[in-house]
Amino acid sequence: MLQETAYHGALGEAFAAQSETSSYNAYIDRPAMLALAGDVAGLRILDVGCGPGHYAAALTERGATVVGIDGSAELLAHSRSRTGDTVDLRQHDLETPLDFAADASFDLVICALVIHHVRARGQLLAEIIRALRPGGRLLISTTHPAADWHHFGDSYFSREWVDLPVKDHDDLAIHFQRSTIEEFLGELLSAGFALETLIEPRPAPALRAIDPDAFERLSTRPSLLAASLLRP
């Protein structure tokens, strides 16, 4: 199984295809994160772990100037196909400092379903807060610890690195570190952020017509966490 921070090779291609219509990506995380973003017209935004470019495209359409970074060449290719020349896309290893970003150069940073893959989380959060202007915001989402606990069936307090098989791809898995809500928020607050909003997003109503069983299931149990934080 692949165990990379970025989704390389076949894993990148599988995720690009899945993210188009996946309940978790298309009907829970994206609607929630874009709702948290609100009015972004005129803002300069950094999309950390931009993947196949769904968030970058949506934020650009809303009038933002977006810089997207990802470690995966495969996902950046999909992002370029989706955004054309409207987004500044860069291949960048999230385990390394954001050396391209000047201090206080972004109004908003979005980090969607990425942070649990990163080993150097403290470094990344420190770099994000450095790159944000005072009063700027970080929007971040992750897997819900209770959902991971339910799936893996052991201790809620586990901090193990685990492999989650990719649907319809027995040879591929997503590698990430489990956490608790306490640890997730603790890392963000320790980095210097102030919590503005914490949500446990439910599926968008549009999912009911497409997959009523998934809609009912995901409406009654947590799947993701999302938060908006301020840089003082």
Side-chain angles (χ1 to χ4, degrees):
M1 291 184 176
L2 297 177
Q3 298 185 354
E4 298 281 353
T5 299
Y7 294 174
H8 297 295
L11 182 57
E13 295 296 341
F15 176 73
Q18 176 182 291
S19 66
E20 295 278 350
T21 58
S22 161
S23 299
Y24 299 99
N25 298 106
Y27 294 99
I28 300 180
D29 193 69
R30 285 206 293 274
M33 293 288 271
L34 293 173
L36 284 176
D39 182 7
V40 297
L43 299 187
R44 188 164 189 259
I45 298 176
L46 177 62
D47 186 352
V48 174
C50 63
H54 294 286
Y55 302 87
L59 294 167
T60 300
E61 289 171 2
R62 296 181 179 196
T65 298
V66 180
V67 176
I69 61 172
D70 202 286
S72 168
E74 290 79 11
L75 287 177
L76 285 174
H78 285 279
S79 190
R80 289 189 183 95
S81 296
R82 176 164 282 107
T83 63
D85 60 0
T86 63
V87 174
D88 179 2
L89 295 170
R90 305 173 182 222
Q91 188 168 4
H92 185 88
D93 181 358
L94 300 186
E95 303 291 350
T96 65
L98 307 179
D99 51 9
F100 62 88
D103 293 357
S105 57
F106 290 95
D107 302 295
L108 186 148
V109 173
I110 185 167
C111 185
L113 300 180
V114 171
I115 196 68
H116 45 280
H117 297 295
V118 178
R119 292 166 177 80
R121 285 194 296 274
Q123 174 182 265
L124 178 58
L125 292 173
E127 284 289 276
I128 289 172
I129 205 166
R130 176 187 64 77
L132 275 170
R133 64 167 177 79
R137 290 193 298 154
L138 166 64
L139 306 182
I140 188 167
S141 59
T142 190
T143 62
H144 198 296
D148 293 335
W149 180 33
H150 180 269
H151 177 81
F152 291 102
D154 53 6
S155 171
Y156 170 81
F157 298 100
S158 172
R159 298 195 74 252
E160 294 292 322
W161 284 87
V162 293
D163 293 300
L164 186 66
V166 177
K167 184 179 179 181
D168 300 325
H169 294 274
D170 293 340
D171 59 334
L172 299 175
I174 293 172
H175 191 63
F176 69 98
Q177 187 175 24
R178 292 174 57 186
S179 183
T180 63
I181 296 174
E182 177 183 28
E183 288 167 334
F184 172 66
L185 288 178
E187 288 181 350
L188 293 164
L189 299 178
S190 294
F193 289 100
L195 180 63
E196 182 179 46
T197 306
L198 177 71
I199 61 172
E200 297 169 300
R202 281 66 156 178
L207 181 60
R208 188 196 296 269
I210 297 168
D211 190 339
D213 291 339
F215 179 83
E216 294 301 324
R217 183 178 70 255
L218 294 170
S219 295
T220 60
R221 65 178 66 176
S223 56
L224 304 176
L225 278 177
S228 172
L229 300 109
L230 295 173
R231 184 230 194 268

